Amino acid sequence: MSDTPARPVTEDAPSLYRWLAQQAAPGTALTTLHIGGSHSTLASGMAGSAPLMQRTLDLGARVLATTRFAGDEPQPHELQAAAQAAQAVFAPLRQRLAPHSRLYSADSGIRRIALAAGLPAQPGMELPLASIEAVFQRLLGQAPPDAAGAAPPLPGEGRFAAAVLILRAALLALGFERIHLRSDALA
């Protein structure tokens, strides 16, 4: 039996924030995001302290897919409208974030987006906004054809498309250029 306690499950934003806040140097600015089925959560603050801001948003991948998309494969006009609505949810929170923070997630759905964007699977991944935009363009059917076959096929489900829209909206509205994925934070 080991004296080392098991790491907590940290996929939700507040738990991941607490875990990262214990690991990072004091004063490091952190923001965490989790996209759930019915809600998304954000936490932001400085390492070594409780979050300055913690929000549960009425914006989740399952709910967005069922309320905004007529079928399982959303149409471009549905994607555009849902993307604008998602950005409007995140926009008011930008000024509440810890200044100069880095965005983190341990979200399995966001990891799925990173893999669809072509990132190699590893415990720590960095998903840039440009890669999320490329996935979004593929969902819209506006990406140039991939002659080399390098891009993995996208899951053909509304929930995946909704998660892409929410993630893209979060980065755009909150002013982040990338999200850092930490599967090593999961128990």
Side-chain angles (χ1 to χ4, degrees):
M1 190 183 242
S2 171
D3 290 345
T4 307
R7 283 186 249 160
V9 174
T10 53
E11 188 166 316
D12 70 281
S15 295
L16 177 61
Y17 175 88
R18 287 189 297 275
W19 187 82
L20 289 171
Q22 292 174 355
Q23 307 301 314
T28 302
L30 309 164
T31 298
T32 57
L33 170 68
H34 172 68
I35 300 170
S38 57
H39 296 89
S40 293
T41 53
L42 271 174
S44 186
M46 306 301 275
S49 66
L52 300 170
M53 188 267 306
Q54 185 173 312
R55 292 286 183 272
T56 298
L57 308 170
D58 288 329
L59 181 66
R62 180 181 39 80
V63 171
L64 184 70
T66 57
T67 61
R68 293 288 187 150
F69 306 152
D72 204 34
E73 290 193 32
Q75 299 301 305
H77 70 279
E78 294 173 321
L79 291 166
Q80 294 284 10
Q84 289 176 349
Q87 273 189 258
V89 171
F90 285 105
L93 301 176
R94 185 173 187 160
Q95 300 305 320
R96 308 275 325 247
L97 299 178
H100 311 293
S101 63
R102 291 176 71 178
L103 182 61
Y104 293 91
S105 184
D107 190 307
S108 59
I110 296 175
R111 178 167 293 280
R112 194 171 170 210
I113 295 167
L115 296 173
L119 272 66
Q122 49 192 333
M125 300 165 73
E126 189 173 293
L127 178 59
L129 178 56
S131 295
I132 299 165
E133 284 289 350
V135 172
F136 180 65
Q137 292 304 314
R138 288 172 58 201
L139 287 170
L140 290 173
Q142 297 177 355
D146 181 19
L154 296 178
E157 58 196 47
R159 188 172 177 163
F160 174 81
V164 171
L165 298 181
I166 294 168
L167 178 60
R168 177 181 175 268
L171 270 71
L172 289 171
L174 300 175
F176 291 105
E177 290 295 319
R178 63 192 36 79
I179 185 165
H180 304 271
L181 301 173
R182 300 288 306 263
S183 68
D184 61 331
L186 294 172

